[in-house]
Amino acid sequence: MTGAFEVTSTMYEDASRIFTSPANLGDEVFPLRINLKPIRVFEPPVAFKPLIPELKFITNKKM
């Protein structure tokens, strides 16, 4: 995880390119977007998998 963010807008569509898509996703543009406000940016990023056992909202820990 790279950080914690607050959603500051409703969803909107924008077809402009903001980054290069990963090779396995083809030429995807990801047009559905939201605006975010950074609350805390983690340097270095925090690994997610070690947190899974502690997260109560994840009910199937294996999946």
Side-chain angles (χ1 to χ4, degrees):
M1 295 186 301
T2 60
F5 301 85
E6 176 183 347
V7 176
T8 61
S9 73
T10 58
M11 186 211 55
Y12 62 95
E13 289 191 46
D14 183 347
S16 63
R17 266 190 206 285
I18 54 175
F19 60 87
T20 303
S21 300
N24 62 333
L25 293 178
D27 198 31
E28 181 66 59
V29 176
F30 304 101
L32 302 179
R33 304 185 184 170
I34 56 174
N35 293 329
L36 301 173
K37 175 178 127 182
I39 295 172
R40 183 171 175 199
V41 177
F42 307 135
E43 285 293 333
V46 175
F48 184 75
K49 281 189 176 185
L51 300 175
I52 292 172
E54 305 301 320
L55 298 173
K56 292 180 182 165
F57 68 90
I58 297 178
T59 55
N60 185 342
K61 307 293 186 186
K62 291 181 181 183
M63 295 299 285

